[in-house]
């Protein structure tokens, strides 16, 4: 058995001994941070595999890069990969723009998001890959520009339901454009009127509670 900071994990092919060596060579302050990130990634999905790229540990899931961690002289970093998860992190106000990685400079375990939130984001990143909704930063960089997709118009029934619920209407107006679009698209994509009406009722309830469309992933 191989012992990590917060528990004991059976060694499997998912764990790369080169990552053990990388952590062992890191400065003392960095090791607990790297152990914590590593443990949370594997807890989010046992199917995650480790590897080394560009002299630092990477985590892969079903052939796609989930993220990578790095240790420096005075801080560590963890970067999520995938344009879709980056957009979600921006909506959650977790993304640290202009900083190394996605979470900024990490100098202690306390600088990481709370475990519940970190696991939620990692599981959402895995879900994006499972659903085929994953665009790597490298692919996005070379992607041919496409004409913007037409705006999805909110069904009048949804607009009427929001107007009838002042709390939900105020919360919806405060959401980011991408959050509002997710709700509108979800409702507009309903194939049958009864499905649309059910989604509208559910959406108004969730919005009234301040919940984004993907709130289940944010609180799991």
């Amino acid at each position: 058995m191989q012992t990590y900071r917060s528990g004991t994990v059976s060694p499997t092919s998912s764990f790369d001994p080169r990552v053990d060596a990388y952590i062992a060579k890191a400065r003392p302050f960095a090791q607990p941070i790297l152990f914590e990130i590593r443990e949370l990634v594997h807890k989010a999905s046992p199917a995650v595999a480790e590897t080394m790229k560009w002299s630092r540990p990477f985590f892969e899931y079903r052939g796609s890069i989930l993220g990578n961690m790095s240790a420096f002289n005075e801080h560590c970093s963890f970067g999520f990969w995938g344009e879709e998860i980056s957009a979600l992190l921006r909506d959650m106000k977790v993304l640290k723009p202009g900083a190394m990685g996605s979470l900024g400079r990490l100098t202690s375990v306390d600088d990481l998001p709370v475990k519940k939130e970190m696991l939620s984001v990692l599981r959402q990143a895995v879900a994006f890959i499972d659903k085929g909704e994953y665009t790597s930063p490298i692919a996005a960089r070379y992607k041919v520009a496409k004409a913007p997709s037409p705006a999805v118009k909110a069904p009048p029934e949804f607009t009427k339901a929001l107007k009838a619920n002042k709390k939900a209407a105020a919360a919806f107006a405060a959401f980011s454009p991408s959050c509002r679009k997710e709700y509108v698209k979800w409702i507009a994509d309903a194939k049958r009127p009864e499905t649309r009406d059910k989604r509208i009722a559910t959406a108004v309830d969730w919005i009234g509670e301040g919940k984004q469309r993907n709130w289940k992933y944010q609180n799991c």
Side-chain angles (χ1 to χ4, degrees):
M1 300 288 277
Q2 196 165 2
T3 302
Y4 295 94
R5 194 186 70 84
S6 300
T8 305
V9 183
S10 298
T12 70
S13 59
S14 296
F15 290 84
D16 191 321
R18 294 175 298 172
V19 176
D20 292 303
Y22 182 92
I23 295 175
K25 290 179 180 178
R27 297 188 63 184
F29 85 89
Q31 293 182 11
I33 303 171
L34 301 177
F35 279 137
E36 184 81 356
I37 292 171
R38 189 187 200 187
E39 182 176 295
L40 289 171
V41 169
H42 286 286
K43 186 174 182 180
S45 174
V48 169
E50 299 177 352
T51 187
M52 293 291 291
K53 297 176 183 287
W54 303 297
S55 302
R56 65 194 62 185
F58 274 73
F59 302 99
E60 296 182 336
Y61 176 73
R62 295 180 62 181
S64 297
I65 298 175
L66 196 68
N68 70 280
M69 61 184 185
S70 303
F72 303 97
N73 286 335
E74 297 182 355
H75 72 280
C76 297
S77 69
F78 180 77
F80 283 93
W81 281 55
E83 296 294 298
E84 294 74 18
I85 195 65
S86 294
L88 179 62
L89 290 170
R90 279 193 293 271
D91 287 339
M92 293 173 65
K93 296 180 171 40
V94 173
L95 191 68
K96 301 286 181 67
M100 172 73 72
S102 304
L103 307 176
R105 293 169 63 90
L106 306 172
T107 58
S108 76
V109 171
D110 292 338
D111 290 333
L112 288 166
V114 295
K115 285 188 178 182
K116 186 177 180 180
E117 185 178 62
M118 187 70 171
L119 277 172
S120 173
V121 175
L122 286 164
R123 287 168 178 157
Q124 175 65 83
V126 166
F128 279 135
I129 296 173
D130 280 334
K131 292 185 292 184
E133 300 173 358
Y134 174 88
T135 306
S136 76
I138 295 174
R141 191 179 305 160
Y142 296 104
K143 186 168 59 177
V144 176
K146 297 180 180 179
S149 56
V152 181
K153 188 175 181 181
E157 296 84 358
F158 179 47
T159 302
K160 183 178 179 180
L162 279 177
K163 286 183 178 179
N165 188 318
K166 292 183 179 179
K167 184 178 179 181
F172 190 72
F175 283 164
S176 68
S178 60
C179 286
R180 294 196 296 269
K181 183 178 179 181
E182 285 179 347
Y183 268 116
V184 170
K185 189 175 185 304
W186 181 52
I187 294 167
D189 284 348
K191 303 298 183 184
R192 298 182 299 171
E194 53 267 35
T195 302
R196 178 201 61 209
D197 293 342
K198 184 177 180 180
R199 289 184 181 182
I200 288 173
T202 300
V204 171
D205 286 342
W206 285 353
I207 294 168
E209 296 173 7
K211 295 176 177 177
Q212 299 177 13
R213 170 73 180 88
N214 290 309
W215 68 271
K216 291 183 180 179
Y217 291 113
Q218 298 170 12
N219 293 283
C220 60

